[in-house]
Amino acid sequence: MSKQNKPAYGGQAVVEGVMFGGKHHYVTAIRRKNKEIDYFRLPRKSSSSLTALKKIPFIRGIAAIIEASANGTKHLNFSTDRYDLDPEDDEKLNEPKKESKLTMILGVAAIGVLSFLFGKFIFTLVPLFLAELTRPVFSSDLSQILIEGLFKLILLLAYIYAISFTPLIKRVFQYHGAEHKVINCYENGMPLTVENVQSNSRLHYRCGSSFLLFTVIVGVFVYMLVPTEPLYVRVLNRLALIPVVIGISFEVLQFTNKLRDVPVLKWLGYPGLCLQLLTTKEPDNEQTEVAIASFNEMLRLEKETEEGIKTEQIV
């Protein structure tokens, strides 16, 4: 099966593990405290309205984020609840959550799709007000939009760079790299061994990190269509245009992914790949093993479901 005909599987790094999603199932594999690999399996369910929205260009991006957030929360909670807990103490999971555990969950969510919409408000409004402070020097609409985009980019890079130094986030970024390596290995038609997976790139055109960067770039062009004065109008425009920027950015992400094997045009996705140099790190062999285990389990469940569907159709 060629790379173009392979299913476009996606994934998400969690605490001490990786989640992969197929057409019918989501699977998370994590490394437990006793070094064993534990799994969380969840059938993929989507409302008919959400499924319909995911087929409409420029709207499907927002629908995809909503679905990913809803499903990702359960997998993130699974990983944060268990990764540092001995399997013999799993009964403690029924105890009330400690504040430190909740804080940890929120900290990890801040780099994923769970906090995307909340973060988008912050990364939209803060650069706006910073740019407005420069209006005495840069007074034209175009200069304000460019300065605003520059502040947004600086804020995004500084935030990712700062959190990458924390031990927990650094390991999440390593699992993020392992997730990409597994998908690249699979799409390249190579057997999913640790050696093969490690030989693949930790960067991938379809990554959510690229999506974040595209929202910055797309925003600059979209904001050129609306006024920047007075300030309250500028604020309202930015908030109202968040869905528009997200929708267009998702289409740009899909477009660059389709062109990744086309000479010259593949460069369109390079800005997003460069950002992934910050949001992914090289995983070790044990982390890669967890990512492979998650992907293989997802493939197994997908195969069983497809065979069951075919059997039902025959009967």
Side-chain angles (χ1 to χ4, degrees), residues 21 34 68 95 147 159 161 171 210 221 229 252 308 312:
N34 63 355
E95 297 177 1
I147 291 295
Y159 170 70
Y161 182 72
R171 288 191 64 81
S210 298
F221 292 97
E229 295 184 90
V252 172
E312 291 179 357

Side-chain angles (χ1 to χ4, degrees), residues 41 46 164 166 221 235:
R41 306 165 182 86
S46 182
S164 69
T166 63
F221 292 97
V235 171

Side-chain angles (χ1 to χ4, degrees), residues 273-293:
L273 296 181
C274 289
L275 181 60
Q276 291 176 44
L277 293 175
L278 288 178
T279 62
T280 66
K281 295 189 180 299
E282 288 293 335
D284 59 34
N285 288 343
E286 288 192 351
Q287 291 169 320
T288 301
E289 182 184 9
V290 173
I292 294 173

